[in-house]
Amino acid sequence: MFVFLFVFFVMMRRPPRSTQSRSSAASDVYKRQNKDIHKVWDIVFAVEKYSEWRSDLSKTEIINEKQFIEYTKDGYATKFSITTIEPYKRWEFDMENSNMSGHWIGIFTAKGNETQIDFTENVTPKKWIMKPFVKIYLKKQQEQFVLDLKKALE
């Protein structure tokens, strides 16, 4: 019994499998959207239209076919570099700003007339003071993205 409890405790204490290091944080969001995969993908992939439906952004700037910048409502910029595109299946990019660097993975799966989205974000803060807050911030950002996406799909 002691061995079981010890193993259970150790498994509960380890970071999520998507976390790459002790100084990193990860957020995983799994949601089903009530629209077909083409509609969901087209909205998420249309970076140039983000400011039309994302409540946290003022604008996006397309640098080239592999890079873009998002600007928050306060004008804070984050640069994104696309690393993988598998249309209607997978989209990945690296991201960086003065506070963090990281990687985002979006998996899109058709489920009949609905779409299962699986978004994973790994971030490493650049400032030690941010380390305790990065996990909470990531979760909030991912939840807001999904909420805004749901509204855009209506």
Side-chain angles (χ1 to χ4, degrees), residues 82-93:
I82 298 168
T83 58
T84 303
I85 301 172
E86 296 176 30
Y88 306 103
K89 291 180 185 173
R90 184 181 197 96
W91 190 30
E92 295 186 36
F93 47 74

Side-chain angles (χ1 to χ4, degrees), residues 44-82:
V44 172
F45 196 69
V47 173
E48 70 280 0
K49 295 182 181 179
Y50 274 7
S51 62
E52 295 174 15
W53 62 272
R54 289 198 41 200
S55 63
D56 59 330
L57 298 182
S58 63
K59 68 177 182 173
T60 54
E61 176 186 342
I62 307 299
I63 299 171
N64 58 47
E65 64 183 30
K66 294 280 190 180
Q67 295 180 314
F68 62 95
I69 300 172
E70 291 180 354
Y71 294 89
T72 65
K73 299 273 185 192
D74 297 327
Y76 193 73
T78 301
K79 184 176 181 181
F80 296 82
S81 299
I82 298 168

Side-chain angles (χ1 to χ4, degrees), residues 13-26:
R13 298 276 303 147
R14 79 174 195 194
R17 67 179 151 74
S18 55
T19 303
Q20 297 177 352
S21 74
R22 278 217 167 306
S23 62
S24 295

